[in-house]
């Protein structure tokens, strides 16, 4: 027999005073259908399936750049026009999550995963068959919009099924996949571009193949994790099975217009007027912008300075993956530091290794800049990229965890705000990369990036030492601090 808890209440129907019982459906204690009570095996399957969405969308962001040469030839376009196709992808990431995050609350996670993936796969066809660069750019923007689901829903899915105490490792795994796959996509795409019978179109076809297979993975292995939607489905099943329409899920009514308006305006409010969100958004935005500059500059640097062919250039991108692995391992140590220092440092214990990352970012960029000579071994450039990506991963994960702890019920808005800023930086930076490298050379352009990273070095230290005072001055984060104080007293 189905397990459910019922509550009977009377309703007036049709305004005529007729009484009718309503059976409210709710989860029993420890109900296995409640997403937070799923078995650990089921939770890890769902986590892996959700993270795979991040993998294919991150690969789609970076692999595209390896097809520039054949694309410019076939579509008779300029390098700058091809670069716009790289930039509009993160622009889609910046725009659509404001709506999809709200929609997932109303319609559930699974349908958005499914239909956004279908749209994502369809855009590979549009890009590969594009008769001109304008059509290709439009396809890339729409693809970025569909891909944004992989960035926005995965965190929500993890929060649905993992309790707070167990959420750190799954979130770190999600961050690892997001950054790691920025390197694996170009590694494969470089060798595809090198084959004269394949080239840029087949970079798209190849990605479409394994992304299309993911649609079937969603259908067979991904379960709905939004508890309110699960309850609605249980009530619907009971009505169908019994023929009794009294079974209903007690859920608050959602005003979608108001929800979308809040989803669009509150992140902007936090980014513009909250010092913590503003500073972290600038920091991670800069990191992400430079990351997309690396995606565009690595082919030119290694082919010009060291005569690498396209396949070898693609393999160089694995340095990004290696750097993210170092960052993931560092986070394991960060978790130990957090448990040790949380009693004395509070939420700021989340950003201890971010202070270390603040040094890694300029060091990595300065190595990448000052080893940009033909007579300096190419391994030196790779070391610079690894160190930079190591720091970027630490910052990326620290921002997620710290803002989530600081803003509690407003965490989704704070994270949406930093995501908006991060992807706007990623949109803008590649548009001036080639011009900057031509004017300043690789050495001085990357030195400029290193100097900016050096200027941002104090950010985590200021927050580490003065974070509680800064948070108390905020009407949003002050509520979280007061709740924590009441809980501890």
């Amino acid at each position: 027999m189905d397990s459910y808890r019922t509550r009977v209440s009377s309703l007036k129907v049709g305004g005529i005073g007729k009484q009718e019982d309503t059976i409210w459906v709710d989860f029993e204690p420890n109900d296995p259908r409640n997403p937070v009570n799923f078995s650990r095996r089921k939770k890890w399957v769902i986590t892996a399936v959700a993270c795979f969405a991040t993998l294919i969308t991150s690969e789609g962001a970076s692999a595209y750049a390896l097809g520039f040469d054949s694309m410019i030839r076939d579509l008779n376009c300029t390098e700058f026009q091809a670069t716009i196709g790289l930039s509009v992808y993160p622009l889609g990431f910046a725009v659509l999550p404001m709506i999809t995050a709200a929609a997932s609350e109303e319609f559930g996670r699974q349908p958005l995963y499914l239909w956004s993936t279908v749209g994502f796969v369809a855009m590979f066809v549009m890009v590969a068959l594009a008769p001109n660069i304008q059509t290709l750019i439009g396809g890339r923007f729409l693809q970025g919009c569909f891909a944004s689901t992989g960035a926005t829903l995965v965190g929500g899915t993890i929060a649905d099924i993992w309790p707070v105490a167990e959420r750190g490792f799954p979130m770190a795994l999600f961050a690892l996949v997001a950054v790691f796959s920025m390197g694996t996509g170009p590694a494969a795409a470089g060798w595809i571009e090198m084959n004269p019978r394949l080239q840029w179109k087949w970079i798209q076809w190849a990605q479409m193949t394994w992304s299309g297979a993911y649609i079937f993975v969603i259908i067979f292995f991904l379960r709905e994790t939004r508890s309110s939607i699960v309850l609605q489905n249980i009530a619907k099943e009971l009505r169908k099975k019994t023929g009794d329409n009294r079974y209903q899920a007690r859920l608050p009514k959602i005003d979608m217009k108001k929800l979308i308006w809040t989803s669009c305006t509150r992140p902007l409010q936090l980014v513009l007027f909250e010092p913590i969100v503003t500073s972290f958004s600038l920091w991670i935005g800069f990191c992400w912008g430079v990351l997309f500059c690396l995606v565009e500059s690595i082919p030119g640097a290694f082919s010009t300075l060291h005569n690498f062919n396209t396949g070898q250039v693609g393999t160089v991108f694995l340095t990004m993956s290696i750097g993210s692995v170092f960052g993931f391992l560092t986070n394991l140590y960060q978790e130990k530091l957090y448990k040790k220092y949380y009693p004395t440092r509070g939420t700021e214990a989340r950003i201890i290794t971010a202070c270390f990352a603040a040094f890694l970012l300029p060091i990595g960029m300065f190595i990448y800049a000052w080893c940009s000579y033909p007579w300096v071994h190419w391994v030196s450039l790779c070391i610079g990229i690894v160190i930079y990506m190591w720091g970027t991963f630490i910052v990326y994960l620290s921002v997620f965890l710290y803002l989530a702890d600081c803003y509690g019920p407003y965490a989704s808005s704070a994270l949406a705000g930093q995501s908006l800023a991060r992807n706007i930086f990623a949109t803008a930076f590649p548009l001036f990369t080639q011009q900057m490298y031509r004017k300043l050379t690789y050495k001085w352009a990357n030195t400029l990036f290193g100097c900016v990273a050096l200027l941002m070095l104090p950010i985590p230290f200021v927050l580490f030492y003065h974070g509680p005072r800064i948070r108390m001055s905020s009407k949003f984060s002050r509520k979280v601090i007061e709740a924590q104080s009441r809980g501890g007293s």
Side-chain angles (χ1 to χ4, degrees):
M1 183 176 177
D2 287 308
S3 174
Y4 58 87
R5 187 169 72 240
T6 63
R7 186 181 301 157
V8 179
S9 62
S10 60
L11 295 173
K12 289 187 177 182
V13 180
I16 57 176
K18 181 181 178 180
Q19 298 294 312
E20 181 178 289
D21 290 337
T22 296
I23 305 176
W24 298 112
V25 177
D26 201 353
F27 294 118
E28 288 280 2
N30 301 315
D31 192 327
R33 293 174 299 179
N34 188 343
V36 79
N37 295 325
F38 286 168
S39 68
R40 292 190 67 84
R41 179 181 177 182
K42 190 172 184 178
K43 288 181 180 181
W44 278 116
V45 169
I46 292 172
T47 301
V49 173
C51 285
F52 195 80
T54 304
L55 185 147
I56 60 175
T57 55
S58 293
E59 286 188 342
S62 54
Y64 163 85
L66 271 293
F68 272 16
D69 289 343
S70 58
M71 184 189 306
I72 292 169
R73 180 200 66 212
D74 291 350
L75 298 182
N76 192 28
C77 64
T78 65
E79 185 178 30
F80 180 73
Q81 288 175 316
T83 301
I84 294 175
L86 177 67
S87 286
V88 296
Y89 190 92
L91 182 61
F93 266 74
V95 174
L96 199 66
M98 300 293 187
I99 299 173
T100 55
S104 71
E105 309 292 324
E106 176 72 7
F107 304 110
R109 316 284 192 202
Q110 190 188 35
L112 282 177
Y113 274 112
L114 179 61
W115 294 110
S116 63
T117 303
V118 170
F120 178 73
V121 172
M123 289 306 103
F124 281 119
V125 179
M126 181 175 176
V127 171
L129 298 180
N132 51 57
I133 191 63
Q134 291 79 12
T135 304
L136 184 145
I137 290 171
R140 283 284 293 178
F141 172 72
L142 292 174
Q143 191 172 47
C145 291
F146 287 118
S148 64
T149 303
T152 56
L153 289 189
V154 178
T157 300
I158 291 173
D160 288 340
I161 60 178
W162 294 100
V164 175
E166 301 177 23
R167 202 173 292 166
F169 186 76
M171 282 298 294
L173 186 64
F174 160 52
L176 174 64
V177 172
V179 183
F180 185 91
S181 50
M182 291 288 287
T184 56
W191 296 104
I192 295 173
E193 170 69 9
M194 193 174 170
N195 189 325
R197 292 177 296 179
L198 302 177
Q199 300 194 318
W200 74 274
K201 287 181 180 290
W202 274 95
I203 292 175
Q204 306 303 315
W205 294 130
Q207 290 181 93
M208 187 195 74
T209 302
W210 57 71
S211 299
Y214 179 59
I215 295 174
F216 298 98
V217 174
I218 294 172
I219 294 172
F220 292 109
F221 295 101
L222 187 65
R223 296 293 175 262
E224 181 57 58
T225 61
R226 179 77 177 155
S227 59
S228 59
I229 303 300
V230 174
L231 279 176
Q232 285 182 340
N233 292 338
I234 292 173
K236 182 178 179 181
E237 184 180 344
L238 286 171
R239 290 196 299 270
K240 183 177 180 181
K241 182 182 294 186
T242 63
D244 190 340
N245 290 327
R246 293 178 299 165
Y247 290 103
Q248 300 290 335
R250 186 190 292 276
L251 301 172
K253 291 184 178 181
I254 298 176
D255 185 339
M256 278 300 293
K257 289 183 179 179
K258 184 177 180 180
L259 185 61
I260 291 174
W261 173 254
T262 302
S263 297
C264 292
T265 56
R266 186 180 287 162
L268 290 173
Q269 182 182 357
L270 290 169
V271 168
L272 294 175
F273 302 112
E274 284 288 309
I276 291 176
V277 182
T278 302
S279 57
F280 261 147
S281 295
L282 287 174
W283 199 28
I284 188 60
F286 170 77
C287 293
W288 220 246
V290 174
L291 169 58
F292 272 75
C293 285
L294 287 175
V295 169
E296 192 180 3
S297 71
I298 286 174
F302 281 84
S303 60
T304 302
L305 300 175
H306 300 287
N307 298 315
F308 275 31
N309 61 39
T310 309
Q312 292 169 328
V313 166
T315 305
V316 168
F317 278 85
L318 291 177
T319 54
M320 291 186 171
S321 303
I322 294 169
S324 66
V325 171
F326 282 142
F328 180 78
L329 296 176
T330 304
N331 181 68
L332 299 180
Y333 182 58
Q334 164 62 45
E335 287 296 309
K336 293 181 180 179
L337 293 174
Y338 176 74
K339 292 177 182 177
K340 180 178 179 180
Y341 290 104
Y342 180 78
T344 56
R345 303 300 312 190
T347 303
E348 280 62 40
R350 282 284 188 202
I351 54 175
I352 296 174
T353 54
C355 297
F356 170 62
F359 290 97
L360 291 177
L361 296 171
I363 289 172
M365 286 313 301
F366 285 138
I367 292 174
Y368 187 61
W370 288 88
C371 292
S372 298
Y373 294 101
W375 59 85
V376 178
H377 199 282
W378 56 265
V379 169
S380 303
L381 293 176
C382 293
I383 291 172
I385 298 170
V386 168
I387 293 174
Y388 180 81
M389 293 304 300
W390 184 5
T392 296
F393 181 91
I394 295 173
V395 174
Y396 180 73
L397 188 56
S398 296
V399 168
F400 265 87
L401 296 176
Y402 184 64
L403 291 182
D405 286 357
C406 285
Y407 287 92
Y410 306 104
S412 59
S413 295
L415 292 172
Q418 67 81 25
S419 178
L420 175 65
R422 175 165 50 88
N423 286 295
I424 287 176
F425 273 82
T427 298
F429 272 45
L431 296 177
F432 59 77
T433 300
Q434 293 300 332
Q435 300 91 317
M436 185 176 67
Y437 283 129
R438 290 193 193 100
K439 295 282 187 181
L440 301 179
T441 73
Y442 289 108
K443 180 179 73 173
W444 291 110
N446 291 319
T447 297
L448 178 60
F449 285 143
C451 290
V452 176
L454 204 58
L455 290 174
M456 293 186 171
L457 190 149
I459 289 175
F461 290 94
V462 171
L463 292 177
F464 183 74
Y465 289 106
H466 303 288
R469 181 171 58 82
I470 297 173
R471 288 189 283 124
M472 278 301 293
S473 66
S474 161
K475 69 175 183 179
F476 294 103
S477 57
R478 184 172 61 246
K479 296 178 182 179
V480 180
I481 295 177
E482 291 172 348
Q484 291 173 342
S485 300
R486 288 193 297 270
S489 59

